[in-house]
Amino acid sequence: MALRVAIGFLAVAITVVVANIATQRSAREAREKVRELLIQHEPLVRAIESLSAAVSLYERVVIDQSETSAIAQQPVKAAAQRMTDAANDYAEAASRFDELDRPASAFHAELSNFRKAGEDLLSSSAARRARMRDYWTRFDTLEASLNAPQAKAVRFAGAVFASEKLMDLARTLAGIREQVSAAASLSSPRSAQLIIGSENAFRSSLQLHSAELAKLHGQAWFEQVKTNFNAVVTGRRAAFQSIDTFNEQSVMFRDRAADISGMIVTQLVEPARRALANADRLAVQASDRADRHLGWASGATLLLLLIIAVATVTGVTAPVRRLTEATRRLAAGAVRTRVVRGGVRELDTLAEAFNQMAEQLQQAQNAVRVHQLELEARVDERTRELNHLAHHDPLTDLPNRRHLLAHLEEALDRARLRNGRLALLFIDLDNFKTINDSMGHAFGDRVLQAVSERLRMNSLFSRSFSARLGGDEFTVVCEEVNQLGDVERLARSVLEEFQRSLSVHGRELRISVSVGACVFPDHASDSHALLRAADSALFRSKELGRNCWSLYAPQLLEAAASRFKVEQSLRRAVERGEFELLYQPEVCFETLETHTVEALLRWRQPDGNVVSPADFFTVAEQTGLITDISDWALRTAIQTAAVWHHGPWPKARVAVNVSSQQLLSPSFVSRLQALLQQHRLPAQCLELELTENILQTGANTIATLKRLRELGVSIALDDFGTGYSSLTSLERLPLTRVKIDRSLVTTVDTGGRSPAIVRSIIGLCHSLGLQVTAEGVERPSQLGVLLTDRGVQVQGYLVSRPINAATVPVFIDQARAHLEHLMIAAPPPAVDADNNTTRLRTLRASSARGARPARAPADEK
């Protein structure tokens, strides 16, 4: 087979060589004739091309230079000179051909006019740019005069209104700038109309508010703006007229360039084409001879190829047909198909390879069938797992929220059909965050798993539906409820179940839970309303002290709505800055000085009502807004104290209350230090007041307080005497001051045990080196009792109500006389009258001897 194909192709090659030799000879003769003609006509053609290129170059250079910001005369002159030289070169080349017509003198005149039109276009472009620069100069002058009052505006009612009008005029002027910029490049009639409309709008707005603007900024300024605006309008008209003139001349210049190009074609190119016609005729004759030779050679070649193809097809068709049919059956899935071998050696080898491939495909198909069965089994198993995960909590394997909602809807439908009741219980672990913080989240997860197991194992809930909502919240749906008493039995069963300790990783752990319950249809008629009702009941249980249960009542939902309303109002207050600080002095009657002022937060609502922190502090803590509020209060207090320290009160010292969330922030100390450095306030001028529940948060809190003490910031324990671990706090914490709670000070002048308790606290604090402040002193008799002990600072309405920051320096300046009057007017206590009277008499006498006029704020040190 290969030999036959080789012989056939050898014959084809010989035929092609012979035909090629004959064709090359004919083509060589034609090429020689054409080369002679080309050598003769080449200078003329080159001169025409050079002239056409010179005209195009001059047109392009003039157009480019007219559109640039600065015209360069050198390229224009060079292009014009090149066009003149090209015309002279053509005239010289054409003089060698008698059969060519000479270019008319009108052509040279057209070239001169074309050059003159280019120069006129460049002059018009320069005029257009000059007009535009003049317009923008006038525009900038108008803009500067319009914006001048903005820099000197004073913030009172009229000025603010005038500034708004100026801003409207400035925005209109900016729109005119954008429109003129676009029109200067496009020069479309529609854009010009838009500019005129904007100018009319500016003029109308200026005229409409002329009286106000002239009154606020002066009649001279107003007249200047009007004059500048009229100059801008005049400049715009002149600039647009120059643009129109430039566009007209540009069109005329382009038309003239087209005319020149047409004259070159008609008067120069056409004669040259006639001269080349003879050369083309001779080339065609030579080409015809070469075509005839090539035709004979092609016919012989095709005949040989046909003979070779017939022989080849005869020896290949049958084996290929067998392979094709076998391939079709194999593709249809008949992997047992095999091909009968035979024919030429190559096709026999191909048939053998095909049979091997079919064998391998059959083996692979069997293996795929086995793997497919395994894959289907795995997919089915994974589908069941995903379906389970979609409806169950992955940690506790209890149904999740989605499963709960679906089950609750079905349970409600069953309850409606039998006209029965259904109970929904919310269960929340008490103080679960403490477990996570102290034992780690992994241990907390084990606790949640133990709780879920306890719910599953409880016999009372064996016929109920238990689910985990998320976090440490669980839900139980009980359908076998006949009366409200059954709900109480269920809730108490939950509380009793968790009285028994849980075994978690070998540890016996005692936890308590809070339960909220509601009943269908008594409390709600759909699933979402039942969830809200149970949640509000659970919140009530938390408020009652945890480890108890509550049944839903309508007022609980109203309370939740009220809390939500307060929360939203608080969020708006934080955004709008509706908070303010008042300052209440803490004074010492031994030195008759004010040592500290405590910053007290107030919320001034838009209607003018002032809300104390007691009314919103709980909601702020629950929603996390307390951090933003406390940060603002601390920042404002430091800024105000810095103003006092560097001004009227160099000994300024401010006390600020700090929330637990704020103190536990890892960046609290660094942020506080940055604030002190920013306002150049010494750390000794700041005191942080903390309550006992903050100080019981653990080792991290103690470490933070030590870092604050290292900075020099004082730490005060507020509301001392109301908690259960006060003495422990005094021993463990780096405190500098203790503030006795007003609940003890209130009854200090009425007898009983209060005086002895207060005196004991003062003695204990002094023995520990702590300063003492008595809060809530409102009566002279209370002050009389407190004056019997040394080193006690006093804070309360008797000394001063909370005052604003501006009044604090006035109080400091007048404090000595005010404190002397209070001390003299304070009656001695009834108990130990002799000793106390002696103490007061001594204190008053020393005060009288040491009394002197208060120094001016500038003299304080």
Side-chain angles (χ1 to χ4, degrees):
M1 179 65 186
L3 180 61
R4 285 181 288 176
V5 173
I7 294 173
F9 279 106
L10 179 61
V12 172
I14 294 172
T15 305
V16 170
V17 169
V18 173
N20 186 40
I21 293 173
T23 304
Q24 286 181 355
R25 186 177 62 181
S26 300
R28 189 182 304 112
E29 295 175 356
R31 283 197 302 271
E32 290 176 356
K33 188 63 177 178
V34 171
R35 186 180 298 110
E36 293 176 0
L37 294 173
L38 288 177
I39 292 173
Q40 184 181 1
H41 289 81
E42 182 179 4
L44 179 64
V45 173
R46 198 164 45 242
I48 295 174
E49 291 176 349
S50 177
L51 179 59
S52 178
V55 171
S56 299
L57 175 64
Y58 182 73
E59 177 188 7
R60 185 168 62 255
V61 169
V62 170
I63 294 298
D64 292 343
Q65 292 298 323
S66 67
E67 295 177 353
T68 58
S69 59
I71 299 175
Q73 294 294 334
Q74 184 61 30
V76 178
K77 291 180 179 179
Q81 185 62 39
R82 179 177 175 181
M83 182 172 63
T84 302
D85 294 342
N88 295 332
D89 292 342
Y90 172 77
E92 182 180 354
S95 63
R96 300 191 185 97
F97 296 89
D98 296 334
E99 68 274 14
L100 295 179
D101 297 332
R102 300 294 181 268
S105 58
F107 179 75
H108 295 285
E110 282 295 330
L111 286 179
S112 300
N113 293 336
F114 180 56
R115 181 172 181 176
K116 181 63 170 57
E119 294 173 353
D120 293 342
L121 179 61
L122 293 176
S123 300
S124 177
S125 176
R128 177 197 61 170
R129 283 191 293 272
R131 294 289 178 81
M132 287 305 300
R133 283 195 299 270
D134 177 67
Y135 172 78
W136 288 121
T137 301
R138 297 183 182 186
F139 193 93
D140 293 339
T141 302
L142 171 60
E143 194 171 40
S145 62
L146 185 65
N147 294 331
Q150 293 288 354
K152 301 182 290 183
V154 181
R155 288 291 175 183
F156 56 87
V160 172
F161 178 79
S163 296
E164 294 176 357
K165 300 301 179 292
L166 286 177
M167 290 174 65
D168 291 340
L169 290 173
R171 282 193 291 269
T172 304
L173 196 60
I176 295 175
R177 178 186 288 275
E178 295 178 359
Q179 293 169 353
V180 170
S181 297
S185 60
L186 301 177
S187 187
S188 62
R190 192 182 71 173
S191 62
Q193 291 299 324
L194 291 175
I195 294 170
I196 294 172
S198 299
E199 290 174 347
N200 292 337
F202 183 92
R203 182 181 288 108
S204 299
S205 179
L206 188 65
Q207 188 64 30
L208 178 63
H209 305 292
S210 59
E212 297 178 54
L213 295 174
K215 179 180 178 182
L216 291 173
H217 307 294
Q219 185 64 34
W221 172 85
F222 180 77
E223 294 298 332
Q224 182 64 35
V225 170
K226 287 180 60 180
T227 302
N228 293 340
F229 176 71
N230 293 331
V232 166
V233 174
T234 303
R236 191 266 304 163
R237 292 170 179 168
F240 276 25
Q241 184 178 1
S242 66
I243 291 174
D244 294 337
T245 301
F246 169 76
N247 290 338
E248 292 174 0
Q249 291 185 355
S250 178
V251 172
M252 292 174 60
F253 178 76
R254 295 174 190 272
D255 292 343
R256 192 172 295 278
D259 294 340
I260 292 292
S261 298
M263 292 179 67
I264 290 174
V265 171
T266 57
Q267 297 184 15
L268 305 183
V269 176
E270 289 297 333
R273 286 178 178 173
R274 289 195 300 270
L276 289 175
N278 293 330
D280 181 65
R281 177 174 53 79
L282 295 175
V284 169
Q285 291 175 359
S287 177
D288 289 342
R289 286 196 300 271
D291 289 342
R292 286 194 297 272
H293 294 160
L294 184 61
W296 284 106
S298 298
T301 303
L302 288 175
L303 179 60
L304 285 175
L305 286 176
L306 179 62
I307 295 172
I308 294 171
V310 171
T312 302
V313 168
T314 303
V316 174
T317 303
V320 170
R321 188 182 299 112
R322 291 197 299 269
L323 282 170
T324 302
E325 183 62 27
T327 302
R328 186 179 296 110
R329 292 199 300 270
L330 184 65
V335 294
R336 298 179 181 275
T337 302
R338 300 294 183 270
V339 177
V340 177
R341 298 176 60 181
V344 296
R345 183 178 59 185
E346 292 84 355
L347 292 178
D348 182 67
T349 303
L350 181 61
E352 182 181 4
F354 179 88
N355 293 335
Q356 293 176 356
M357 180 187 68
E359 183 69 25
Q360 293 173 359
L361 283 176
Q362 183 178 359
Q363 296 174 1
Q365 187 182 53
N366 295 333
V368 167
R369 211 174 267 128
V370 173
H371 288 299
Q372 184 177 6
L373 293 175
E374 294 179 357
L375 181 61
E376 289 177 354
R378 292 181 182 179
V379 169
D380 185 61
E381 180 182 358
R382 187 58 179 167
T383 302
R384 289 195 300 271
E385 292 177 358
L386 291 175
N387 185 54
H388 181 80
L389 288 175
H391 294 85
H392 290 79
D393 176 53
L395 178 64
T396 61
D397 203 37
L398 286 176
N400 58 12
R401 179 184 290 271
R402 177 187 297 179
H403 196 177
L404 168 66
L405 291 175
H407 178 83
L408 188 57
E409 290 291 347
E410 296 174 358
L412 289 175
D413 292 339
R414 290 192 294 269
R416 293 188 186 98
L417 289 176
R418 70 172 186 271
N419 198 21
R421 282 189 169 95
L422 179 147
L424 179 64
L425 275 63
F426 266 25
I427 303 172
D428 185 85
L429 306 186
D430 296 333
N431 301 317
F432 181 70
K433 185 178 182 301
T434 304
I435 296 176
N436 271 338
D437 294 340
S438 59
M439 307 298 293
H441 288 275
F443 187 83
D445 291 344
R446 299 296 184 273
V447 172
L448 294 176
Q449 291 172 346
V451 169
S452 63
E453 187 65 24
R454 180 68 59 87
L455 289 176
R456 275 193 289 262
M457 298 300 294
N458 191 303
S459 59
L460 188 62
F461 297 143
S462 59
R463 293 183 298 275
S464 302
F465 181 86
S466 300
R468 182 192 177 199
L469 279 183
D472 60 337
E473 288 189 354
F474 297 85
T475 305
V476 177
V477 180
C478 302
E479 299 187 47
E480 297 181 358
V481 176
N482 297 321
Q483 54 188 358
L484 295 180
D486 295 340
V487 180
E488 179 178 3
R489 179 172 55 84
L490 289 170
R492 292 193 180 279
S493 175
V494 173
L495 296 176
E496 292 172 0
E497 182 67 29
F498 285 97
Q499 292 298 321
R500 297 186 295 109
S501 60
L502 290 173
S503 178
V504 181
H505 272 201
R507 297 186 181 184
E508 293 295 325
L509 183 68
R510 289 187 175 274
I511 63 172
S512 62
V513 297
S514 299
V515 181
C518 64
V519 180
F520 168 85
D522 304 71
H523 301 146
S525 58
D526 61 77
S527 57
H528 293 287
L530 279 172
L531 292 172
R532 288 196 301 271
D535 187 54
S536 61
L538 176 62
F539 190 85
R540 176 59 177 168
S541 299
K542 293 287 187 181
E543 287 182 335
L544 292 176
R546 297 182 170 85
N547 196 22
C548 62
W549 77 282
S550 297
L551 187 64
Y552 169 77
Q555 55 268 28
L556 296 182
L557 201 57
E558 294 174 1
S562 177
R563 284 192 303 273
F564 180 76
K565 182 179 179 181
V566 172
E567 175 188 349
Q568 296 304 309
S569 299
L570 274 177
R571 293 188 185 277
R572 288 192 296 269
V574 170
E575 294 173 358
R576 299 173 181 174
E578 297 177 358
F579 295 100
E580 63 181 23
L581 289 182
L582 299 180
Y583 301 89
Q584 189 172 30
E586 299 178 18
V587 300
C588 177
F589 279 89
E590 294 185 6
T591 62
L592 298 179
E593 292 181 349
T594 303
H595 290 279
T596 309
V597 292
E598 181 183 359
L600 301 176
L601 183 67
R602 296 292 184 268
W603 175 13
R604 186 173 297 277
Q605 296 179 326
D607 58 2
N609 292 331
V610 178
V611 183
S612 66
D615 296 330
F616 64 83
F617 188 80
T618 302
V619 176
E621 278 193 325
Q622 294 170 351
T623 58
L625 292 172
I626 191 63
T627 301
D628 294 335
I629 298 173
S630 299
D631 285 346
W632 175 87
L634 180 62
R635 184 171 60 253
T636 304
I638 290 176
Q639 182 179 0
T640 305
V643 173
W644 294 333
H645 176 73
H646 298 291
W649 187 20
K651 296 182 181 180
R653 196 162 184 270
V654 63
V656 185
N657 290 277
V658 178
S659 67
S660 58
Q661 299 178 21
Q662 189 180 20
L663 184 66
L664 292 176
S665 172
S667 61
F668 174 71
V669 178
S670 59
R671 286 190 288 111
L672 177 62
Q673 187 175 9
L675 282 174
L676 293 174
Q677 293 175 353
Q678 176 185 353
H679 297 286
R680 297 184 297 111
L681 182 69
Q684 294 77 12
C685 297
L686 178 64
E687 181 176 273
L688 300 182
E689 295 189 3
L690 313 172
T691 56
E692 286 188 64
N693 61 338
I694 299 177
L695 300 176
Q696 295 171 8
T697 52
N700 292 336
T701 303
I702 298 176
T704 300
L705 295 181
K706 288 182 178 178
R707 291 179 60 193
L708 292 172
R709 290 295 300 128
E710 291 172 358
L711 290 178
V713 177
S714 301
I715 308 296
L717 179 59
D718 198 11
D719 299 337
F720 185 80
T722 60
Y724 296 99
S725 58
S726 300
L727 297 180
T728 305
S729 300
L730 295 180
E731 189 273 332
R732 291 189 306 117
L733 301 174
L735 302 174
T736 57
R737 178 183 301 276
V738 171
K739 303 187 73 171
I740 303 175
D741 188 67
R742 63 182 301 133
S743 61
L744 292 176
V745 178
T746 298
T747 58
V748 76
D749 59 339
T750 59
R753 299 180 179 179
S754 293
I757 295 175
V758 172
R759 191 174 295 113
S760 299
I761 294 175
I762 295 172
L764 175 63
C765 292
H766 284 171
S767 65
L768 295 175
L770 301 176
Q771 302 176 25
V772 181
T773 298
E775 298 180 307
V777 178
E778 300 179 354
R779 298 186 298 274
S781 56
Q782 295 172 322
L783 178 61
V785 174
L786 295 172
L787 289 178
T788 61
D789 290 292
R790 297 181 60 84
V792 178
Q793 296 188 19
V794 176
Q795 179 183 6
Y797 285 177
L798 180 65
V799 175
S800 173
R801 288 181 174 272
I803 56 179
N804 57 38
T807 312
V808 169
V810 179
F811 178 86
I812 299 299
D813 189 51
Q814 302 174 357
R816 177 174 291 275
H818 177 58
L819 296 181
E820 287 179 350
H821 174 74
L822 291 177
M823 184 173 59
I824 294 172
V831 181
D832 297 335
D834 293 338
N835 295 335
N836 293 331
T837 302
T838 302
R839 161 74 177 150
L840 282 178
R841 190 182 299 114
T842 302
L843 187 59
R844 289 167 180 168
S846 63
S847 174
R849 287 194 302 271
R852 54 187 176 88
R855 292 180 297 176
D859 297 329
E860 291 186 3
K861 303 294 183 184

